[in-house]
Amino acid sequence: MKRVLTILFIFAIIVGALAGVVFASYMVGGLAEQYLFTGASRLTNIIFLMLVFVMVIATMLTLAERKWSALMQNRIGPNRARIALPGLSDKSLAGLPHVATDALKMLFKEDFIPATANKLLYNLGPMLAFAPVFALFAVVPAGPSVTIFGQRVDMVVATPDFGLLFIFAISSLAVYGTSLAGWSSNNKFALLGGVRASSQMIAYEVALGLSLVGLMLSFSSVQLPTLVGNLAAELGLQTGTGQARYLWQFTGEGGAFDVGVPAWGFLLQPLGFVLFFAAAFAETKRAPFDSPEGESEIIGYFVEYSGMKFGMFMISEFVEVVILSGVISVLFFGGYHLPFGGNWLANLEVMKENGWLYGTVLGTFFWLKVLFFCWLQLTIRWTFPRFRYDQIQTLGWKILLPAGLINVFVSGALVLWDPSLRLLALFGLLEIGVIVAMTLYSPEQKGGETHGHGTHGAGHGHDDHGHGLPAHATPAHAATTHVGHADTHPAGVPTTAAAASSH
Amino acid sequence: MDPSLNPLASYLPLAVALLLAGALALIIPSLAAVLGPKRPSAIKSTSFEAGSESSGPARQRFAVKFYVVALLFIVFDVEAVFLYPWAVNFQSLGWFGYVEMLVFAATLVVGLIYIWKKGALEWES
């Protein structure tokens, strides 16, 4: 009971902190609009969204990852760093001081460059890994546009027409940092890590590009605020736009609480979601796609890096996790919109009068979605074993790419057949059912086969064809060899031992 | 999104964000370089190869097995780029545009099947 209360208390603190910062960012945006110039809130959003939200969540994830992995492995996790203040010096504070000590340690470590390294490229590596990743969040809308002090405040940095293309283009740049770091270190292990990184990139990048085409043709846009859409109540129309509209609406006539099936991306494009998540997960270079790094076994591209330069690689990985969560929320889970009751909320008198309240509620909801997907990524990272480099190629070229192409043209036919997207959503539900069924009844689970491939249900299902992966050592094969050599293995399976004794 | 913002105004924050990203990427390592100690030594500055002595520089030729796949990658990545404008205008192009793109993609799929059967995607053989 005490544990449950503690967890609820921690959740309340997290929600409260998110709501507080969302509120502050809306208010500062409103003040900037009023006292500076039109569009000044976009510049304050840079500070709040990119420097406060993304960077702080990414920093906290470094601790959350260690704590969560500890929980999954029945350990305690980091708890040694203390704050030397009266009353705090004997409290571990859930390991929070470790975040500060890590940052300080990296700042005050020697800035070391190996003698044989190419100095310019060696210094450029971590910068090229960090800068593109950090800039990505500029196009992600993190809250509704509301009116504060009579001024319009958007909770987004920039709304270019090419939103998704910006994400594709800039996120691909980060691999240059990785490859340069591997090559410029003049270390064979680092070089191999860098080459593995580029080989991984060519495996997932095509699937990443194809996975979102289905979404683009459903909504006829690549601009992220258009994909998120506006509620009917916000527009004053009968139906909303983008993912904020209902495919089927059950209740909600005349200001009542509205319930329905929203046109969220994961309903329209479940396969696209799985493909995008798998490919983008590979882009973050975290397990099961961590063959460029291989922290403990195969040595990664940043073996020659230490101090803050290593820290840049590490923090850019966590920033990528946050941004991927944000992009998934925006593209597939309706952005900052509630799954139901959105129109009811927007029509409330108190919400209409106080724009900041409406913005704070929905903005907090957006960041809760982001935290959920961060948690999901941490869990995946500590659940699946690493892919070998050729298994990543097999996954990317033989599973993800054909599945992506099929997804594009099947979705296209369904969208043309029924422009209201209802048929696409029904087909999506069917896809979800098939993916769940294939995950539950995959032959790998029945045979207890060692699996290091196919992170998702779709992958499992397609793997039945067998690509001659060397990792396929089924227990069935093992059993036959045992029978064959029963006389040399007397301590074998009881039945084979009995067969041997009968000879 | 906002009609009151002209295109330049909506791109300007993007430029500021990119500049900020570049500035941060420059400042953070520079700060560490200023704050950290400097104690170089001959052993420390050799390349770290799992504790054993380095067996020469890493600037050597080695087999890049995936160059065929890398060529294929360019072809399919360009295909994906062609798909984006098509997808945005998809609903106005109608069935005609659908069939056109199907023909375009089919030629590339034939290429993929060919290279698959040729064994270019098998590395461990």
Side-chain angles (χ1 to χ4, degrees):
Chain A
M1 192 60 203
K2 185 166 178 279
R3 198 179 167 85
V4 174
L5 283 177
T6 317
I7 290 170
L8 284 178
F9 179 65
I10 291 171
F11 271 120
I13 286 181
I14 291 173
V15 174
L18 288 177
V21 185
V22 172
F23 170 70
S25 46
Y26 269 111
M27 289 317 255
V28 172
L31 288 173
E33 288 280 341
Q34 193 170 20
Y35 294 109
L36 295 175
F37 51 91
T38 311
S41 68
R42 300 291 181 105
L43 300 179
T44 60
N45 284 347
I46 293 181
I47 297 170
F48 274 102
L49 293 181
M50 297 168 75
L51 282 176
V52 176
F53 268 114
V54 172
M55 284 309 277
V56 169
I57 293 178
T59 322
M60 286 299 167
L61 276 182
T62 61
L63 174 70
E65 166 143 291
R66 279 176 283 175
K67 274 289 183 191
W68 183 243
S69 67
L71 202 66
M72 288 176 79
Q73 295 166 350
N74 204 9
R75 294 182 285 115
I76 296 171
N79 65 347
R80 288 291 156 180
R82 301 289 155 95
I83 300 171
L85 286 175
L88 285 176
S89 53
D90 58 342
K91 288 201 170 62
S92 68
L93 296 174
L96 276 176
H98 278 271
V99 176
T101 52
D102 280 349
L104 288 177
K105 179 189 78 178
M106 281 169 180
L107 264 182
F108 289 100
K109 265 189 120 177
E110 180 176 354
D111 182 58
F112 162 75
I113 301 173
T116 51
N118 183 322
K119 290 202 172 43
L120 175 70
L121 296 179
Y122 179 85
N123 287 325
L124 204 60
M127 296 178 195
L128 271 180
F130 177 81
V133 171
F134 180 80
L136 275 184
F137 206 81
V139 295
V140 178
S145 302
V146 296
T147 308
I148 298 171
F149 306 132
Q151 308 284 337
R152 181 200 166 94
V153 179
D154 304 322
M155 198 35 60
V156 61
V157 174
T159 54
D161 301 330
F162 48 78
L164 269 183
L165 304 186
F166 176 84
I167 288 180
F168 283 141
I170 302 294
S171 67
S172 310
L173 289 180
V175 78
Y176 286 106
T178 311
S179 303
L180 276 185
W183 185 82
S184 67
S185 299
N186 204 354
N187 178 320
K188 295 175 201 71
F189 292 103
L191 177 68
L192 287 175
V195 171
R196 281 199 302 270
S198 43
S199 85
Q200 177 164 309
M201 190 275 285
I202 62 170
Y204 67 75
E205 192 79 23
V206 175
L208 188 71
L210 285 176
S211 60
L212 294 182
V213 174
L215 207 67
M216 293 175 195
L217 54 84
S218 307
F219 294 114
S220 297
S221 180
V222 290
Q223 194 196 21
L224 272 77
T226 312
L227 292 174
V228 173
N230 291 98
L231 287 167
E234 289 171 353
L235 297 168
L237 299 171
Q238 281 299 312
T239 54
T241 59
Q243 295 183 72
R245 82 186 168 88
Y246 286 113
L247 292 169
W248 292 276
Q249 189 169 354
F250 305 130
T251 61
E253 294 299 317
F257 190 82
D258 50 321
V259 178
V261 180
W264 283 11
F266 84 102
L267 271 177
L268 304 173
Q269 290 284 312
L271 185 58
F273 169 63
V274 170
L275 294 175
F276 177 76
F277 197 27
F281 209 97
E283 183 137 35
T284 62
K285 294 190 281 295
R286 291 159 60 77
F289 298 100
D290 65 340
S291 79
E293 297 174 12
E295 282 151 2
S296 48
E297 301 89 4
I298 48 177
I299 311 178
Y301 58 92
F302 50 50
V303 61
E304 292 287 359
Y305 284 86
S306 63
M308 194 40 104
K309 289 206 182 95
F310 164 75
M312 297 280 280
F313 284 119
M314 196 183 76
I315 199 70
S316 63
E317 186 180 307
F318 284 100
V319 170
E320 252 175 352
V321 170
V322 181
I323 283 165
L324 173 57
S325 306
V327 170
I328 286 177
S329 311
V330 163
L331 294 180
F332 292 101
F333 290 88
Y336 46 81
H337 290 299
L338 301 164
F340 43 78
N343 289 310
W344 169 80
L345 189 77
N347 275 329
L348 285 181
E349 277 304 314
V350 62
M351 293 293 172
K352 276 183 179 169
E353 283 165 15
N354 303 306
W356 58 268
L357 187 63
Y358 184 64
T360 306
V361 170
L362 290 193
T364 311
F365 190 59
F366 173 79
W367 288 107
L368 284 176
K369 279 183 196 173
V370 170
L371 287 191
F372 170 78
F373 286 106
C374 290
W375 168 84
L376 188 67
Q377 288 183 67
L378 294 193
T379 310
I380 291 174
R381 186 248 177 277
W382 287 98
T383 306
F384 288 96
R386 180 184 305 139
F387 287 101
R388 213 175 44 224
Y389 62 97
D390 62 315
Q391 289 170 336
I392 297 174
Q393 295 295 325
T394 305
L395 179 77
W397 285 99
K398 296 182 178 174
I399 300 168
L400 297 186
L401 172 62
L405 276 173
I406 291 168
N407 183 43
V408 166
F409 286 101
V410 171
S411 312
L414 290 172
V415 168
L416 280 184
W417 202 297
D418 179 18
S420 72
L421 304 181
R422 287 182 180 173
L423 203 59
L424 190 62
L426 287 176
F427 189 72
L429 285 175
L430 185 74
E431 274 178 41
I432 293 175
V434 169
I435 288 172
V436 169
M438 285 199 306
T439 313
L440 290 180
Y441 302 105
S442 67
E444 293 183 5
Q445 295 219 332
K446 277 181 194 159
E449 189 182 334
T450 50
H451 52 87
H453 53 281
T455 40
H456 296 281
H460 283 289
H462 287 283
D463 255 358
D464 300 348
H465 310 300
H467 311 303
L469 288 179
H472 278 234
T474 59
H477 291 168
T480 44
T481 39
H482 267 283
V483 173
H485 305 279
D487 44 354
T488 54
H489 293 283
V493 192
T495 49
T496 51
S501 62
S502 69
H503 275 285
Chain B
M1 186 182 182
D2 185 356
S4 67
L5 284 175
N6 60 33
L8 190 65
S10 73
Y11 295 157
L12 189 69
L14 196 62
V16 176
L18 283 169
L19 279 178
L20 177 74
L24 266 184
L26 208 70
I27 289 168
I28 298 175
S30 315
L31 201 65
V34 174
L35 290 174
K38 286 273 180 296
R39 291 191 211 84
S41 76
I43 291 293
K44 199 196 272 182
S45 54
T46 58
S47 58
F48 174 71
E49 294 184 5
S52 53
E53 257 181 63
S54 173
S55 58
R59 306 270 186 271
Q60 293 171 1
R61 292 156 63 119
F62 74 106
V64 179
K65 285 186 176 180
F66 56 87
Y67 78 95
V68 180
V69 187
L71 289 175
L72 197 66
F73 163 74
I74 295 174
V75 174
F76 275 90
D77 223 26
V78 171
E79 184 203 6
V81 172
F82 278 122
L83 279 174
Y84 298 151
W86 169 77
V88 171
N89 296 310
F90 179 71
Q91 298 192 14
S92 53
L93 289 172
W95 285 107
F96 178 72
Y98 180 83
V99 173
E100 287 262 292
M101 189 49 81
L102 202 61
V103 171
F104 173 66
T107 54
L108 286 167
V109 168
V110 169
L112 178 68
I113 293 169
Y114 173 76
I115 206 158
W116 190 331
K117 293 284 174 226
K118 272 281 190 184
L121 302 178
E122 313 290 337
W123 290 15
E124 295 291 304
S125 53

